[in-house]
Amino acid sequence: MMAATMALGISFLVLAGSWIIYEERHLREFARSPVTASSKNRALLRYTSLGDELTDQQTHSVYLVEPVTADAPVPPGLSRWPAPGEVFLSPQLLRDGADEEITSRYGRFVGTIGPEGLGVPDERLAMVRPSGDWLKKNSELYSGFAGRDRAEEGRGESWGGESSRLYGLREFTSCVLGMLVLPALVLLFVVNGFGIEERRRRDLLLSTLGAGRGARRWVALGDVLAPVLTGVALTALALVTVVRMDPRLPVTDFIVPGDQLALHPLLLAVALCGAGFLAVVVSLLGTGRRKAVGRTPRQTRTASPWIRASAFPAALFLTVRLPDVLDPSRGPVWSVTYLLGVAATFFTLPFALGLLTAALGQMVVLVGRATGAAGVLISGRRLRCRPMDTARTMAGAVVLVGVLLQASLWSSLFNQFITQDLAQRDTLGNSVVLLYPTSRHDLSGFIDSLPAGTGTVLVDHLFQDAGPTLTAQCTDLRSLGLPCGGKVPVSEQSQRTRTVLRHLQVDDSSILNTRVGVIGPLSSGDESRALVISAPAGGSLDLSDLKRLAFQTLSGLPPLGYLGDEALRGDADSAHQAVWIVLFGVGTAIVLGLALGVTATTRFREQSQSLGPVSMLTSRSRLPWAIGWWTIALPMAVAAWAALVVSWLLADPITSMRPGTGISGTLQIALPVILTGIAVLTWVYASVNTVRSLRTWRPRNV
């Protein structure tokens, strides 16, 4: 009950904590947003927001700020106004961008942004005061920043920040409810059924002695109160530790903001006390229920074990092959057929394991007879005569591992798009970079600052019927295999040139208009243009250096990246958030694994009541250990690893056709290891308790 209370308390705290963090992130992002100047509020500063990425393609915000007056308020999180050309970085951006020279990309690094200027501690953010006067031409005037009070009033929206790119609170809450709260409730009900027969006999005795229902409830409350309060206290201790230490979570690399959690102690206390109260209520509701007696069990007809077991390989084969037969194009029919096949495979796998358990039981019987070990002999007979008792425990492990690994497989579809984008980008390596300028950008200074030998071609009018216009020096045009002036069809160009043009959405049927000229200020009007930057033959381009040069010489930071990077940006943000499924999956495995262990222990105790007479004739200490090993530890561990192998086979239709997809390596290792560890702990606990009860067993009516 203590473990169940802790699991429920942690899940409730995660639920409450997620709401707090989402709410605080929104408030802090809004608090640092500017307030538009008006006739009532004089202009004090200039402000605009840009977006940028590191090599992992996760987007972060770059705020450009500049005071207009001497009394302009300092941006939240900064100790002072930066001087022209200075930049403040968040600790996470400073850490993640260390290998990409992030400290010199936007200017001269002078300090880090404080917690009050960040939505969460691990947010990537840069606050820059650019040099020169181009911010005057490309920003608006503001009277200051919104501040905390205005944010709490809910007036307006935040500028940029992570909230605009992350999944909403509703999606995250659904994940917490399904993968943490629901398993914790299952564990609570399973634990409540453990030892329920002893509680029923005690309740019957108290009733016979004249105790009323209220008195019996008080006795039951005293029985459950100690473990529940202990679980609540341990969970509270863990919460205090988290609030004080701001730990970094494994897998997700997320820093838990303890200072934000500390702002809402009442909500956390309600969540923690609610978990304890629910545990007590469930325990009291389960007390006093008596089994109905006098009912004649119905005899049910079931199919032959061989028939039920043979359904498993058939379901596995059809899942791997049938979807492609029904829907070769892999549309909705393919997905529905595949999911139904996966469900059928894991539904029939316990029957196959039951048949194997019966066969294993016969082998264990032979080993017991040969060695004369009573525990081995009894285990073998139980496995052979009642294989489904053990198969039920194995079925729970199979379904748990299978469902979580399938969830990981489907969430990896985000990685599929990333892999495809990387494959396209790798066709040209790092030799081509695309920059998307607008009419406000004067490219002459940027081009002059590029390393010697770097080619630049401006592609204008991308979406016009007459075809795009390519402007460059003659040598740069020839480096792409293009003539120095004239019209040429795209279909006659080299594979390298066609690959670049496809990324600009120019198909092979288009006509190119090439002309020799100097690239400088851009005309307004049609903004569908791109600057193709190519490295010298056999060379590569350093994207970090190019971004630094672009920020220094262009008005702002236009989209800039290797071929395919523009497709990677949104997919990378989604894939980064999908890792929460891995972390929650580990938590689900621990909680539901404990539920399986409790169920197996209950069944083992019920079956061990018949060991009393046998224990008088053999070793009382060895008998439960041998039976527990063959009926609890080994089957549960084998089922977990068998589910992993079956999941590999089921994943093949997706991974073979969609590169980049696959089951999380962390879950592949963690789930079987967790269930194996729980199986061993269950075996030890059940064996120790059974040995203790056998030592006090005496024959009756003698």
Side-chain angles (χ1 to χ4, degrees):
M1 183 58 71
M2 180 187 69
T5 304
M6 290 184 64
L8 192 63
I10 291 173
S11 63
F12 280 11
L13 287 176
V14 172
L15 198 61
S18 61
W19 181 87
I20 292 173
I21 293 173
Y22 267 85
E23 182 69 14
E24 284 294 321
R25 189 202 320 255
H26 173 75
L27 291 177
R28 295 191 181 204
E29 288 178 353
F30 179 74
R32 71 189 184 204
S33 298
V35 177
T36 304
S38 63
S39 57
K40 297 181 180 180
N41 300 315
R42 64 190 183 95
L44 299 177
L45 56 92
R46 294 186 179 91
Y47 181 103
T48 191
S49 176
L50 305 175
D52 196 13
E53 309 83 23
L54 298 179
T55 54
D56 60 8
Q57 297 306 314
Q58 294 181 43
T59 307
H60 64 265
S61 299
V62 180
Y63 292 165
L64 307 182
V65 292
E66 183 179 67
V68 176
T69 62
D71 59 343
V74 177
L78 303 190
S79 57
R80 60 174 178 83
W81 270 104
E86 292 184 342
V87 54
F88 285 80
L89 302 176
S90 68
Q92 188 70 25
L93 182 58
L94 184 63
R95 171 177 175 261
D96 295 342
D99 296 335
E100 302 181 39
E101 300 178 357
I102 194 66
T103 54
S104 60
R105 176 178 298 186
Y106 310 116
R108 186 173 66 260
F109 171 70
V110 293
T112 57
I113 303 173
E116 60 275 12
L118 302 174
V120 287
D122 66 341
E123 181 183 7
R124 294 178 178 179
L125 179 66
M127 287 193 180
V128 185
R129 180 178 179 180
S131 56
D133 60 352
W134 63 267
L135 187 58
K136 297 180 181 179
K137 305 175 183 178
N138 300 285
S139 65
E140 296 183 8
L141 293 172
Y142 297 92
S143 62
F145 299 95
R148 179 80 182 193
D149 295 338
R150 188 183 180 95
E152 291 178 348
E153 294 175 2
R155 291 183 284 170
E157 295 292 336
S158 63
W159 273 47
E162 292 185 333
S163 295
S164 60
R165 299 185 295 270
L166 298 178
Y167 290 145
L169 179 60
R170 180 181 302 176
E171 291 82 359
F172 193 84
T173 300
S174 300
C175 188
V176 174
L177 289 174
M179 302 189 73
L180 292 183
V181 176
L182 183 59
L185 290 173
V186 171
L187 177 61
L188 179 62
F189 280 96
V190 169
V191 168
N192 187 53
F194 184 72
I196 195 170
E197 285 302 317
E198 289 82 353
R199 296 200 298 272
R200 282 172 177 160
R201 287 195 294 267
R202 182 192 62 194
D203 189 67
L204 181 60
L205 175 61
L206 292 174
S207 179
T208 304
L209 295 176
R213 176 171 301 194
R216 298 198 303 271
R217 294 295 187 190
W218 279 109
V219 173
L221 178 61
D223 186 37
V224 73
L225 204 56
V228 168
L229 290 179
T230 303
V232 170
L234 292 176
T235 307
L237 180 62
L239 174 62
V240 172
T241 303
V242 168
V243 171
R244 294 179 63 88
M245 296 185 61
D246 293 347
R248 187 181 294 271
L249 297 180
V251 182
T252 63
D253 205 33
F254 178 76
I255 300 176
V256 181
D259 60 327
Q260 296 183 15
L261 297 179
L263 296 175
H264 300 268
L266 181 59
L267 179 60
L268 297 175
V270 169
L272 190 56
C273 294
F277 177 76
L278 184 58
V280 171
V281 170
V282 170
S283 179
L284 294 181
L285 290 178
T287 303
R289 293 182 180 178
R290 302 175 186 176
K291 287 185 177 179
V293 295
R295 295 181 180 177
T296 303
R298 296 180 179 179
Q299 184 177 2
T300 57
R301 298 180 62 183
T302 58
S304 168
W306 284 97
I307 296 177
R308 292 184 296 178
S310 62
F312 164 69
L316 179 61
F317 177 78
L318 292 177
T319 303
V320 175
R321 299 301 180 189
L322 184 61
D324 288 327
V325 175
L326 296 179
D327 188 4
S329 63
R330 298 208 164 195
V333 175
W334 188 97
S335 300
V336 172
T337 307
Y338 175 80
L339 290 175
L340 290 176
V342 169
T345 300
F346 286 115
F347 178 76
T348 56
L349 179 55
F351 297 126
L353 293 175
L355 190 64
L356 293 176
T357 300
L360 175 65
Q362 182 60 38
M363 297 175 58
V364 174
V365 167
L366 296 177
V367 173
R369 288 175 178 174
T371 59
V376 178
L377 182 60
I378 295 174
S379 300
R381 290 191 178 276
R382 284 188 175 182
L383 293 174
R384 186 182 65 178
C385 299
R386 303 182 64 179
M388 293 311 297
D389 288 345
T390 302
R392 290 189 186 96
T393 302
M394 301 174 74
V398 165
V399 173
L400 173 59
V401 174
V403 169
L404 289 178
L405 293 185
Q406 278 291 310
S408 172
L409 175 65
W410 284 93
S411 67
S412 70
L413 290 177
F414 293 118
N415 296 332
Q416 166 205 358
F417 303 124
I418 292 177
T419 302
Q420 292 174 353
D421 297 336
L422 288 174
Q424 293 179 2
R425 193 180 77 176
D426 289 343
T427 56
L428 294 179
N430 297 337
S431 62
V432 175
V433 168
L434 298 179
L435 184 147
Y436 297 90
T438 62
S439 56
R440 68 179 183 178
H441 295 128
D442 185 353
L443 297 177
S444 55
F446 173 72
I447 294 175
D448 292 341
S449 62
L450 292 175
T454 303
T456 54
V457 176
L458 180 65
V459 185
D460 262 317
H461 313 301
L462 284 171
F463 306 118
Q464 292 190 2
D465 295 336
T469 301
L470 281 70
T471 304
Q473 298 294 330
C474 189
T475 54
D476 294 339
L477 289 172
R478 288 177 177 174
S479 67
L480 293 178
L482 298 172
C484 298
K487 297 185 177 182
V488 293
V490 175
S491 57
E492 297 180 1
Q493 304 310 307
S494 65
Q495 179 65 36
R496 180 173 183 263
T497 301
R498 290 202 306 262
T499 300
V500 174
L501 293 174
R502 284 196 201 102
H503 279 79
L504 298 176
Q505 301 182 22
V506 178
D507 56 40
D508 291 349
S509 62
S510 300
I511 301 297
L512 301 178
N513 304 289
T514 63
R515 71 181 185 90
V516 178
V518 177
I519 304 174
L522 302 176
S523 60
S524 59
D526 184 10
E527 297 288 352
S528 58
R529 60 170 64 92
L531 181 68
V532 180
I533 308 170
S534 58
S540 62
L541 297 172
D542 189 327
L543 189 60
S544 297
D545 284 345
L546 291 179
K547 287 190 174 184
R548 178 178 53 81
L549 293 175
F551 190 84
Q552 292 174 353
T553 58
L554 300 176
S555 299
L557 187 60
L560 177 70
Y562 292 121
L563 222 60
D565 279 358
E566 65 276 6
L568 276 170
R569 289 170 189 134
D571 296 334
D573 288 335
S574 299
H576 178 68
Q577 296 173 68
V579 299
W580 284 96
I581 294 179
V582 177
L583 180 63
F584 289 159
V586 173
T588 303
I590 294 175
V591 174
L592 292 184
L594 290 174
L596 288 174
V598 172
T599 303
T601 302
T602 303
R603 190 178 298 116
F604 185 76
R605 289 180 61 181
E606 293 174 353
Q607 296 175 354
S608 297
Q609 294 176 2
S610 61
L611 294 179
V614 181
S615 66
M616 302 294 293
L617 305 175
T618 183
S619 173
R620 294 183 176 180
S621 60
R622 296 181 183 178
L623 188 63
W625 288 93
I627 298 176
W629 168 257
W630 289 104
T631 60
I632 296 179
L634 187 61
M636 191 171 172
V638 169
W641 292 100
L644 175 62
V645 175
V646 172
S647 297
W648 287 341
L649 298 176
L650 292 175
D652 183 69
I654 294 180
T655 57
S656 61
M657 297 297 294
R658 300 181 179 182
T661 59
I663 302 171
S664 166
T666 301
L667 285 183
Q668 291 186 51
I669 297 174
L671 296 187
V673 169
I674 288 172
L675 289 183
T676 301
I678 291 176
V680 173
L681 292 176
T682 302
W683 166 52
V684 172
Y685 178 80
S687 299
V688 169
N689 279 273
T690 304
V691 168
R692 186 180 296 117
S693 62
L694 289 179
R695 286 176 180 172
T696 60
W697 185 88
R698 294 293 183 272
R700 297 180 180 179
N701 301 326
V702 177

